């Protein structure tokens, strides 16, 4: 028998439903009109180094409690603002709140000029320079590197090829090394049905739409499911705001430089060269065993882009005596941008970094160009 | 206790999940890869053919073609690369 409701309770429920319907209508109209573009990348920062389109940003903080600085290396195919989506959903903000001195290498948007950029351009050129610049800006002798996705791969190549670089710790998140584990996304290219050049556009780069379509193929009904979730939560202003920021990011990929893409396909996808220790860059072979600093491999349990099988072998390939694995309950993006990220994944990553850092007073310092909040280059406008 | 999703959502999920899995499986198949590969090549060929056929007409009207623009872009790109290389040389000194 259905329990009877008091008239006040009925009235209260009706009022609640009407309020939700009004908000649903208002948010739906705003979303459809596209007038409420969310502001992203709002954490204040300064550009402390710039080379071509690559920039090193230092986030302002008055509460740095650990040294060395953490240099986040972002992927080549997506925008770095996923790490700083909103004030209450910001990986950068979480790391700052943990007392870390946070910097980020942003690659900008590649065009025809970058089409010739090879993996060496990043591992032997930009990243070593950015690491030096980070040390200068923070007045530190070392850095901790935190690479995300393809940025993790670039970080691995850099540290493996340049053991002389002042890298105290290396942490990578959702970073593929065994490319057989990425079969869903790379199948076309692995078996030669498509050649790398078939995918390049007239600028010589992989166009953002191709990257987006490749991701879409992994979950063909993903867009429908996310629209259904949006409809279900359309009354919730906070949800809609977060949804818009994330939706903006997922449709905002950047071109992948053609030469680096060719190397990735020919050596990593087809030959799985990193796993077999056969990756050839600039005439030499990359040996991940040369990585000797403390190492953290962060994987996401529900990662459909870089499945655990693609990331796990990494821990056995690096030479670090101090190496750790974290398998966290998140998806690929959820590792850095979600409620789980704020509560579970980022605190655990920050904890590892803290344990492998020291307080500034205990650390040797070297003369530097600028302290916290002192830009070495003109201030960076907020990304919108 | 978390509330249960509405009926429409449960119905949607009941259809979407198996459908999504089946489509993802299909997208990994060799047949789909063949179709995509042929599609990519046909599109490229079609674009080249259209450019070839329209080139003469556009040039008759003294208008630039996509090929002309591409050639110019390549030249500008090469110049930009040279400027970058020179800037690095200057910095080193």
């Amino acid at each position: 028998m259905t329990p009877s409701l008091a008239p006040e309770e009925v009235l209260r429920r009706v009022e609640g439903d009407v309020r939700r319907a009004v908000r649903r209508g208002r948010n739906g109209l705003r979303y459809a009109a596209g007038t409420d573009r969310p502001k992203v990348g709002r954490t204040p920062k300064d550009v402390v180094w710039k080379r071509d389109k690559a920039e090193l940003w230092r986030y302002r903080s008055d509460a740095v409690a650990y040294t060395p600085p953490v240099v986040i290396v972002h992927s080549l195919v997506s925008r770095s603002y996923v790490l700083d989506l909103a004030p209450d959903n910001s990986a950068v903000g979480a790391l700052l709140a943990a007392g870390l001195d946070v910097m980020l290498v942003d690659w900008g948007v590649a065009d025809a000029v970058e089409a010739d950029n090879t993996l060496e351009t990043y591992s032997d050129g930009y990243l070593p320079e950015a690491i030096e610049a980070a040390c200068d800006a923070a007045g530190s002798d070392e850095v901790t590197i935190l690479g995300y996705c393809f940025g993790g791969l670039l970080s691995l190549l850099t540290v493996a090829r340049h053991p002389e670089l002042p890298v105290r710790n290396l942490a990578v998140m959702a970073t593929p090394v065994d490319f057989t584990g990425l079969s869903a996304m790379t199948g076309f290219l692995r078996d030669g049905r498509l050649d790398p050049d078939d995918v390049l556009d007239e600028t010589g780069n992989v166009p953002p739409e191709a990257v987006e379509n490749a991701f879409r193929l992994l979950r063909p009904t993903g867009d429908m499911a996310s629209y259904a979730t949006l409809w279900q939560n359309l009354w919730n202003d906070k949800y809609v705001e977060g949804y818009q920021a994330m939706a903006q990011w997922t449709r905002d990929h950047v071109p992948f430089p053609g030469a680096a893409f060719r190397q990735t396909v020919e050596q990593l996808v087809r030959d799985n060269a990193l796993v077999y220790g056969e990756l050839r860059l600039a005439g030499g072979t990359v040996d991940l065993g040369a990585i000797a600093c403390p190492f953290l491999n962060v994987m996401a349990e529900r990662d459909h882009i870089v499945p655990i099988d693609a990331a796990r072998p990494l821990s056995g390939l690096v030479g670090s005596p101090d190496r750790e694995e974290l398998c966290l309950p998140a998806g690929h993006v959820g590792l850095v941008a979600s409620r789980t990220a704020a509560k579970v994944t980022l605190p655990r990553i920050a904890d590892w970094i803290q344990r492998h850092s020291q307080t500034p007073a205990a650390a040797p310092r070297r003369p530097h160009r600028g302290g916290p909040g002192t830009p070495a280059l003109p201030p960076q406008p907020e990304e919108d | 206790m978390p509330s249960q999703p509405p009926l429409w959502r449960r119905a949607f999920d009941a259809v979407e999940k198996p459908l999504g899995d089946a489509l993802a499986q299909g997208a990994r198949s060799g047949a789909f890869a063949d179709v995509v590969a042929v599609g990519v090549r046909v599109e490229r060929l079609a674009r080249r053919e259209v450019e070839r056929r329209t080139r003469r007409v556009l040039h008759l009207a003294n208008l630039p073609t996509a090929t002309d623009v591409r050639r110019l872009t390549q030249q500008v790109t090469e110049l930009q690369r040279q400027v970058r290389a020179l800037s690095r040389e200057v910095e080193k000194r």
Side-chain angles (χ1 to χ4, degrees):
Chain A
M1 206 175 79
T2 315
S4 60
L5 288 173
E8 297 81 30
E9 178 64 9
V10 173
L11 196 65
R12 200 182 59 78
R13 286 195 184 183
V14 169
E15 270 179 0
D17 283 350
V18 169
R19 227 176 289 129
R20 278 191 178 196
V22 169
R23 273 198 239 146
R24 195 187 290 271
R26 186 195 61 202
N27 288 340
L29 281 173
R30 276 189 190 158
Y31 182 76
T35 50
D36 260 7
R37 249 190 123 202
K39 287 199 94 185
V40 290
R42 278 184 272 179
T43 305
K45 57 184 177 279
D46 303 296
V47 181
V48 293
W49 168 85
K50 183 171 167 55
R51 164 77 65 197
D52 307 330
K53 292 204 176 100
E55 291 186 344
L56 177 68
W57 300 337
R58 187 182 195 193
Y59 290 89
R60 293 180 202 160
S61 172
D62 297 325
V64 173
Y66 296 92
T67 190
V70 179
V71 177
I72 303 174
V73 180
H74 191 63
S75 169
L76 287 177
V77 295
S78 63
R79 302 267 194 175
S80 63
Y81 65 72
V82 70
L83 298 162
D84 189 23
L85 268 186
D88 58 351
N89 187 11
S90 167
V92 166
L95 297 176
L96 288 173
L100 300 168
D101 185 358
V102 183
M103 304 193 195
L104 186 146
V105 180
D106 179 85
W107 302 115
V109 181
D111 61 23
V113 186
E114 280 76 33
D116 277 357
N117 284 5
T118 57
L119 293 174
E120 293 93 322
T121 309
Y122 299 92
S123 65
D124 301 349
Y126 293 134
L127 278 175
E129 267 192 54
I131 289 167
E132 281 298 325
C135 288
D136 280 351
S140 169
D141 285 331
E142 305 169 301
V143 295
T144 289
I145 293 189
L146 177 59
Y148 178 47
C149 190
F150 204 86
L153 191 67
L154 297 177
S155 309
L156 289 169
L157 301 182
T158 305
V159 179
R161 282 171 64 74
H162 298 280
E164 76 284 359
L165 284 173
V167 177
R168 178 177 173 130
N169 311 299
L170 173 61
V172 295
M173 303 183 282
T175 295
V177 281
D178 183 350
F179 280 71
T180 54
L182 293 181
S183 57
M185 202 158 59
T186 57
F188 303 106
L189 295 156
R190 175 178 301 113
D191 53 21
R193 281 185 173 94
L194 284 179
D195 282 323
D197 286 358
D198 290 331
V199 186
L200 306 185
D201 64 10
E202 61 278 2
T203 67
N205 296 313
V206 181
E209 307 80 56
V211 176
E212 201 179 320
N213 288 338
F215 286 135
R216 202 169 275 155
L217 277 182
L218 297 173
R219 261 193 206 157
T221 54
D223 283 352
M224 270 185 353
S226 73
Y227 280 129
T229 310
L230 173 65
W231 177 252
Q232 200 180 334
N233 294 286
L234 202 53
W235 58 271
N236 182 338
D237 296 349
K238 203 84 196 143
Y239 180 87
V240 175
E241 198 183 312
Y243 177 89
Q244 280 183 299
M246 187 54 87
Q248 178 179 317
W249 180 77
T250 51
R251 294 186 198 110
D252 200 10
H253 290 282
V254 292
F256 190 144
F261 178 69
R262 267 191 219 104
Q263 286 175 300
T264 304
V265 172
E266 284 161 7
Q267 296 203 56
L268 298 178
V269 172
R270 290 185 179 162
D271 299 342
N272 211 13
L274 212 47
V275 168
Y276 296 118
E278 292 167 355
L279 177 64
R280 295 168 313 279
L281 293 185
T285 306
V286 178
D287 176 17
L288 293 182
I291 298 174
C293 62
F295 176 77
L296 175 68
N297 185 16
V298 184
M299 295 167 286
E301 275 172 11
R302 299 188 299 275
D303 195 333
H304 67 296
I305 295 173
V306 181
I308 286 187
D309 288 346
R312 179 153 277 155
L314 178 54
S315 310
L317 293 171
V318 297
S320 316
D322 175 358
R323 61 187 133 172
E324 222 172 291
E325 254 183 24
L326 272 181
C327 192
L328 300 172
H332 187 77
V333 182
L335 259 185
V336 293
S338 65
R339 268 184 295 183
T340 314
K343 288 184 190 153
V344 183
T345 64
L346 293 167
R348 292 188 66 183
I349 295 166
D351 173 63
W352 185 86
I353 298 173
Q354 288 168 339
R355 282 191 281 114
H356 290 80
S357 303
Q358 58 192 120
T359 53
R365 293 179 73 82
R366 73 176 186 182
H368 59 100
R369 290 202 299 254
T374 313
L377 294 172
Q380 172 77 349
E382 284 176 357
E383 194 156 2
D384 58 21
Chain B
M1 200 178 82
S3 61
Q4 228 185 3
L7 188 62
W8 70 265
R9 183 64 209 241
R10 276 179 279 160
F12 175 89
D13 287 344
V15 176
E16 186 270 326
K17 288 210 167 85
L19 179 69
D21 290 345
L23 287 174
Q25 198 64 37
R28 279 179 213 141
S29 68
F32 182 76
D34 285 337
V35 170
V36 171
V38 170
V40 167
R41 295 208 169 101
V42 166
E43 195 221 330
R44 184 164 280 207
L45 279 175
R47 205 184 310 139
R48 264 191 223 146
E49 192 56 26
V50 169
E51 279 184 27
R52 196 178 65 80
R53 283 169 190 260
T54 53
R55 190 177 304 143
R56 187 170 293 175
V57 179
L58 288 168
H59 279 170
L60 273 176
N62 206 22
L63 290 168
T65 62
T67 318
D68 299 329
V69 173
R70 203 174 303 135
R71 205 170 291 137
L72 273 175
T73 310
Q74 277 166 359
Q75 286 172 4
V76 173
T77 301
E78 199 43 52
L79 275 174
Q80 279 181 290
R81 285 191 187 133
Q82 285 176 15
V83 169
R84 277 186 184 180
L86 282 171
S87 306
R88 273 190 198 144
E89 282 297 313
V90 169
E91 262 182 48
K92 275 183 199 162
R93 287 175 196 178

